[in-house]
Structures are given as structure tokens and as C-alpha cells.
Amino acid sequence: MSRKMSKRDADKLAKFARKYPIAALVIVIIVALAVFISQKTGGTVTVPMDGLYVHYIDVGQGDSELVCCGGEYMLIDAGEPSASDTVVNYIRDLGIKKLSYVVCTHGHADHCGGLDAVVESFEVETVFTSPYAGDAASYEIFVQAVADADLTLEVPELGAKYRLGDAQFEFIGPLSDHKNLNDDSLVMRLEYGDTSFLFTGDMTAKAEKELIDDGMDVRCDVLKVAHHGSSGSSCYQFLYEAQPQIGVISCEKGNEYGHPHEETLSRLSDADITVYRTDIEGSIVIFSDGMKVERRAA
């Protein structure tokens, strides 16, 4: 913690400078360079490089996930507009200045609401969006922020492989236009070594069954439980096809929707899935070394 220099300290410093002017000048230059470098770099990145880390950021009643691998970073959603500062500061506190990917799963405010601030605050390489994202006000604000940053909204090709460090991911949904923004969520499966993560947006059981019927690979070690634990998602068939070890639910304590619903928690328990919840535990970090997954301290 910084403190004001006392008159005694100032006198000692002045005396030292008179007696050793060259040494004092060198010290001043070193301090000035250190301050300059610190301002330019914005600090040191504090995300370890020993594997893959997924941060399920506590944004209240919404979704936001930060994926970190090999010095490259991807943000999936950013909660409501009111969560903008939470997400931006979370990323900044890790020392991250550049995002390889920003993903908008769909156009509901509790997923895309904070993304405009993210695009304005960081260098971004690629922005992905659902082909059926809608035209809600929060989404249009995000679209304008992307345009102002001279970026292009890209609809990812289903089944195409993308890289993030040593990880690989692909989008496996949505398979069609459902006229329902929840079921039109981008669904992403990420692999790192022998481990995998599934990000589901807000898709309901209807879209889950479509993925299974179409033969999409939904197997994962870690599942971002769809739609904040709503009873309309995470059907038994989907959970048994996915076979996750861990399920993460992102929602707000005491939210008006009653998320997560007891029916969903019961199905997750029946499938022997360890559940972590942001409404109870705050932001959650899951680590993979390529062979196993485990929770780490946020």
C-alpha cells in the first residue's frame, strides 16, 4: 500500500541525491521505466499456462464463461448490461488484454448484455454469433459495438474446427431456426487432450433431443447446464448421452424464475453429476490437465 512521504524521508532522499547524484539519477530512471512498462503492459497475466482453465463468472442471473489455454482466451457471453463491469474487471484482473474469440450464444440480454463493453475494452480477434440471434435491444447494442470496433460478426460453420492454444472446439448447434432464441443458442463442444467441455447457452430439451437424433457428439466431462438449471432443459436422455462428471449452473441467488428448478437438480443427481452453482459459490474455475478435470480456486 502506498503512503505519503514524510518530511524526514524527503530530507534523507535529498541528502542522498546531493552526495550521490549519479546513483540518484539511475534510481529515478529505473523507477520511471518500471512505471512506464507497468502502464503499457497493464500488469502480468496471472492465468497459469499448465493446462486449460474455464472460469464460470458469477454475473448474477445470466451466463459468462472465460476459457483460457496456452496464453489464448475466449469469452462466451457476458450476462446482463448491469454485469458489464463485473466481466470486464474479472478479465482485467487476470491481466488479459486480448481475446482470441468472443462468442454470443444468443440475443437474450442475460447473455449478450455485457458484450458491448467487452468489445470496447479489449482487443478482439473474432466474434461469433448465432445465425438466429434476434433483434433485442441489448443484442443491437452489441452489434453496433462490434461494428464500431471494425470487427465482423461471424456465424460459425457447424462442425468446423477452431483452435484455442492446445484446445480445439467446434459448434454443434443450433441445427435449425426454431423461432425460439433459447433453442437457437450456439452450442459448443471443446476438447483438451482426453477431456471435453460443453457450452449450451439456453437450449431446451427440444434442441437437446435434436442434437442427439442428428448424431452430434455431446459427450463431455464438464457441462454448462443449459438455461440456468431450468426444468425445461437437461432432459434425462441428454444427460445420459453427455455423461458429464461436473455440471455448472449459472444463476442468481433468489432469482425470480426459481432457477435452478428442483426437477433439474434431481435429474443431475440421478445422473451422478457433481453440481457447482454460482448463486451459492460465486465464480467457479474448472481445470483440465488433458487427462482429468477438477475444480480450482477462483
Side-chain angles (χ1 to χ4, degrees):
M1 183 181 293
S2 62
R3 63 180 179 85
K4 292 183 179 180
M5 183 180 291
S6 68
K7 184 177 183 302
R8 182 178 180 184
D9 290 338
D11 289 341
K12 287 182 177 180
L13 186 58
K15 184 176 180 181
F16 177 84
R18 288 194 297 270
K19 189 172 183 180
Y20 307 104
I22 295 177
L25 179 61
V26 170
I27 292 172
V28 169
I29 292 172
I30 291 173
V31 171
L33 282 172
V35 171
F36 176 78
I37 292 171
S38 176
Q39 291 175 341
K40 283 292 184 181
T41 60
T44 302
V45 175
T46 58
V47 179
M49 299 297 170
D50 60 339
L52 180 137
Y53 292 79
V54 181
H55 297 248
Y56 299 82
I57 304 172
D58 180 10
V59 291
Q61 187 61 21
D63 262 21
S64 186
E65 296 90 37
L66 177 68
V67 186
C68 312
C69 186
E72 296 185 4
Y73 309 96
M74 169 169 56
L75 183 74
I76 306 168
D77 292 336
E80 292 271 4
S82 58
S84 296
D85 288 346
T86 296
V87 177
V88 169
N89 290 335
Y90 191 101
I91 299 170
R92 280 181 174 161
D93 287 347
L94 293 173
I96 297 168
K97 295 167 53 178
K98 179 179 178 180
L99 297 168
S100 297
Y101 304 95
V102 165
V103 180
C104 174
T105 61
H106 63 295
H108 281 155
D110 59 331
H111 290 253
C112 69
L115 286 177
D116 58 305
V118 171
V119 170
E120 292 165 356
S121 301
F122 301 96
E123 180 184 350
V124 177
E125 289 188 346
T126 302
V127 183
F128 286 129
T129 186
S130 168
Y132 317 110
D135 58 0
S138 293
Y139 183 73
E140 291 301 314
I141 292 170
F142 162 58
V143 170
Q144 186 60 54
V146 171
D148 291 344
D150 292 325
L151 294 166
T152 302
L153 279 174
E154 297 186 22
V155 174
E157 180 182 350
L158 295 185
K161 306 292 186 181
Y162 301 92
R163 304 293 307 186
L164 184 77
D166 292 327
Q168 177 177 274
F169 65 93
E170 65 178 313
F171 294 92
I172 61 174
L175 297 178
S176 62
D177 183 359
H178 299 84
K179 309 300 182 185
N180 174 349
L181 290 187
N182 288 335
D183 283 330
D184 289 334
S185 295
L186 285 176
V187 180
M188 178 201 301
R189 184 174 185 272
L190 180 145
E191 293 182 342
Y192 180 69
D194 294 329
T195 64
S196 55
F197 293 71
L198 194 65
F199 302 92
T200 57
D202 274 354
M203 72 169 177
T204 70
K206 178 181 179 180
E208 293 172 352
K209 291 176 181 177
E210 286 180 0
L211 292 178
I212 295 168
D213 291 343
D214 206 62
M216 291 296 183
D217 186 1
V218 298
R219 292 172 301 170
C220 59
D221 294 290
V222 183
L223 171 68
K224 199 291 295 182
V225 177
H227 203 186
H228 322 290
S230 167
S231 60
S233 304
S234 305
C235 66
Y236 274 119
Q237 182 183 6
F238 180 77
L239 294 178
Y240 284 116
E241 289 286 342
Q243 298 183 337
Q245 301 174 33
I246 294 172
V248 181
I249 299 175
S250 182
C251 63
E252 184 176 35
K253 185 176 182 179
N255 67 84
E256 61 182 299
Y257 308 101
H259 293 155
H261 293 151
E262 286 301 323
E263 300 95 319
T264 304
L265 295 175
S266 177
R267 291 195 291 265
L268 293 168
S269 176
D270 290 344
D272 198 26
I273 299 168
T274 299
V275 175
Y276 299 117
R277 296 167 45 176
T278 61
D279 61 328
I280 294 176
E281 302 167 86
S283 295
I284 293 160
V285 180
I286 305 296
F287 166 75
S288 168
D289 63 3
M291 294 178 290
K292 62 182 185 302
V293 293
E294 63 183 23
R295 186 176 178 184
R296 291 284 177 92

